Amino acid sequence: MNVAFVLLTYNHDEPAGIERSIASLTRGLRGLGHRALIIAAGPGTGDDGPDLLRLATIALPRPAREEDLMAQLADPGPAATEVRQLLAAHDVDLVCWVDAVWGLGYLSPAPPAVRTALMVHVPRTDAPFRQSLHHRPDTVLTVSAFMLKELADAGVDTRCWHALPNALLHTAEAPSPAAREELRRRGPVRIVARAEPHKGIAELLGAFPAGLERPVQIVLAAAGFEYWPGMQDQVMDQCRALADNLPGVEIRPALPWQEVPPFLAQAAATVISSTSPETFGNVAAEALLVGTPVVGYGLGHLPQLTGAAGRMTALEEGPTALWRALTELLEDHDGYHAAARQAPHQVAAHTPEAVAGAFVRATTAGTR
């Protein structure tokens, strides 16, 4: 079948989990023989390719805020008409609104014969989200059992929703046991995060322990969206200022998607310091895939995703507890290697084709 995903902020190598999840899902669908398109806002880039369709009616600044988009959609008619025309021109069987706002779910501009799906990647119960559900999409998908419970607790009827995990777009070779032992003893701690306050990087650096005696390398990336003007620059400046005064700590620029797994493979461990719940945990999943243990707060989907392949701490204990858990894990020879062996098993089922197959089953149930 022909499937289209609407995600206005989509760009290749965008340092954001939702964009990466859609890239992996579309790859899986193509691997199963389906055609998968992505509809995004302009402007286009040289990396777009034939299956990335840019809207002429919406052009976003970089970075964009939700207010920027809603201002352009004060009259949604032209954009809605263009989306419908694209779906008809490409004989789309199923359109997936990847978000209530950034995926145009609140408008749901689909021709009558096209099936619709709504993705819910983050908790929101505001008016656009309610409007998205009011359009009665044929399928609603979210990324974890945590999200099903979170929104059910907020009064949303999630009984017919489907929990579809994110697939892993790229992989890398896991280190041998001998190389993993060398990493445990003296390898770097490597962290990959978006420049967002709730990722907790500044707080983590503020609690940096004396005597760690190993490199800490943090990839901190700015995405094509932010919550207020200058947010990402503020986070970057604060983290760089803290890192400049800490021994062995380095702030690195964003990596292309395919370079993240090999970067994490050569880490002793990674830390997920998000102070708000990770609804899935893409970076953690990429670390687990290459046998790198994960330390983080026991929030959201992260504990279920990590299982015995790392250590979780309580948020109320703060970032000092993260550093303590990391140190204890690295000093525990047997526990560390048990976690490293378990790590790939935690995400072994998250291949693009497997997740795409689950997507097809969820969105075609009851159709012929």
Side-chain angles (χ1 to χ4, degrees), residues 182-340:
E182 185 64 18
L183 288 169
R184 181 190 72 84
R185 294 178 62 191
R186 53 179 62 90
V189 175
R190 288 181 164 177
I191 298 169
V192 178
R194 191 170 73 249
E196 179 195 318
H198 290 167
K199 295 299 179 182
I201 302 300
E203 292 87 345
L204 189 68
L205 292 175
F208 189 79
L212 185 65
E213 296 181 353
R214 68 173 69 218
V216 176
Q217 299 162 349
I218 303 173
V219 170
L220 198 58
F225 56 89
E226 59 185 4
Y227 308 143
W228 65 82
M231 179 196 84
Q232 296 180 115
D233 288 340
Q234 292 169 18
V235 172
M236 293 277 199
D237 291 346
Q238 184 182 16
C239 291
R240 289 193 184 108
L242 288 164
D244 286 345
N245 295 308
L246 297 173
V249 178
E250 179 185 4
I251 302 294
R252 295 188 173 192
L255 291 171
W257 283 339
Q258 70 269 20
E259 293 182 18
V260 173
F263 176 76
L264 292 171
Q266 296 304 314
T270 193
V271 179
I272 308 297
S273 55
S274 300
T275 56
S276 60
E278 292 283 349
T279 60
F280 180 73
N282 282 332
V283 172
E286 288 171 313
L288 295 168
L289 184 67
V290 292
T292 298
V294 174
V295 174
Y297 293 123
L299 301 173
H301 183 57
L302 193 62
Q304 182 179 351
L305 179 66
T306 302
R311 300 288 186 272
M312 297 292 110
T313 69
L315 177 63
E316 54 268 25
E317 294 179 355
T320 299
L322 291 178
W323 288 116
R324 183 170 60 248
L326 172 69
T327 301
E328 291 172 354
L329 175 64
L330 296 175
E331 292 175 349
D332 179 0
H333 175 280
D334 292 347
Y336 176 88
H337 285 284

Side-chain angles (χ1 to χ4, degrees), residues 326-366:
L326 172 69
T327 301
E328 291 172 354
L329 175 64
L330 296 175
E331 292 175 349
D332 179 0
H333 175 280
D334 292 347
Y336 176 88
H337 285 284
R341 288 192 299 271
Q342 177 60 29
H345 298 290
Q346 294 295 122
V347 293
H350 293 21
T351 66
E353 289 78 11
V355 174
F359 173 86
V360 170
R361 290 190 295 274
T363 56
T364 58

Side-chain angles (χ1 to χ4, degrees), residues 23-304:
S24 59
L25 180 52
T26 54
R27 174 180 291 181
L29 287 168
R30 292 168 192 144
L32 296 178
H34 304 284
R35 187 182 181 205
L37 304 168
I38 299 172
I39 298 175
T45 74
D47 295 323
D48 281 0
D51 291 329
L52 178 52
L53 311 177
R54 294 288 182 179
L55 295 173
T57 50
I58 304 176
L60 293 175
R62 184 177 180 91
R65 295 173 298 133
E66 197 163 289
E67 291 87 341
D68 299 322
L69 174 59
M70 297 306 285
Q72 291 196 49
L73 291 171
D75 174 10
T81 297
E82 186 180 11
V83 171
R84 291 190 190 97
Q85 290 173 343
L86 283 173
L87 297 176
H90 290 272
D91 295 319
V92 168
D93 303 294
L94 169 71
V95 59
C96 184
W97 319 116
V98 179
D99 179 69
V101 174
W102 298 101
L104 298 184
Y106 83 104
L107 295 177
S108 193
V114 176
R115 297 197 307 279
T116 61
L118 173 68
M119 283 186 165
V120 184
H121 285 269
V122 295
R124 60 185 304 166
T125 57
D126 56 2
F129 172 75
R130 298 286 181 180
Q131 286 176 266
S132 298
L133 295 180
H134 182 72
H135 287 292
R136 299 181 64 84
D138 296 300
T139 310
V140 182
L141 304 143
T142 190
V143 290
S144 61
F146 162 77
M147 280 289 290
L148 293 176
K149 183 178 186 304
E150 184 81 354
L151 285 166
D153 289 347
V156 179
D157 185 357
T158 63
R159 288 174 295 176
C160 295
W161 290 22
H162 300 265
L164 183 77
N166 291 342
L168 292 158
L169 182 59
H170 296 287
T171 186
E173 185 174 352
S176 67
R180 178 55 68 192
E181 169 59 12
E182 185 64 18
L183 288 169
R184 181 190 72 84
R185 294 178 62 191
R186 53 179 62 90
V189 175
R190 288 181 164 177
I191 298 169
V192 178
R194 191 170 73 249
E196 179 195 318
H198 290 167
K199 295 299 179 182
I201 302 300
E203 292 87 345
L204 189 68
L205 292 175
F208 189 79
L212 185 65
E213 296 181 353
R214 68 173 69 218
V216 176
Q217 299 162 349
I218 303 173
V219 170
L220 198 58
F225 56 89
E226 59 185 4
Y227 308 143
W228 65 82
M231 179 196 84
Q232 296 180 115
D233 288 340
Q234 292 169 18
V235 172
M236 293 277 199
D237 291 346
Q238 184 182 16
C239 291
R240 289 193 184 108
L242 288 164
D244 286 345
N245 295 308
L246 297 173
V249 178
E250 179 185 4
I251 302 294
R252 295 188 173 192
L255 291 171
W257 283 339
Q258 70 269 20
E259 293 182 18
V260 173
F263 176 76
L264 292 171
Q266 296 304 314
T270 193
V271 179
I272 308 297
S273 55
S274 300
T275 56
S276 60
E278 292 283 349
T279 60
F280 180 73
N282 282 332
V283 172
E286 288 171 313
L288 295 168
L289 184 67
V290 292
T292 298
V294 174
V295 174
Y297 293 123
L299 301 173
H301 183 57
L302 193 62
Q304 182 179 351

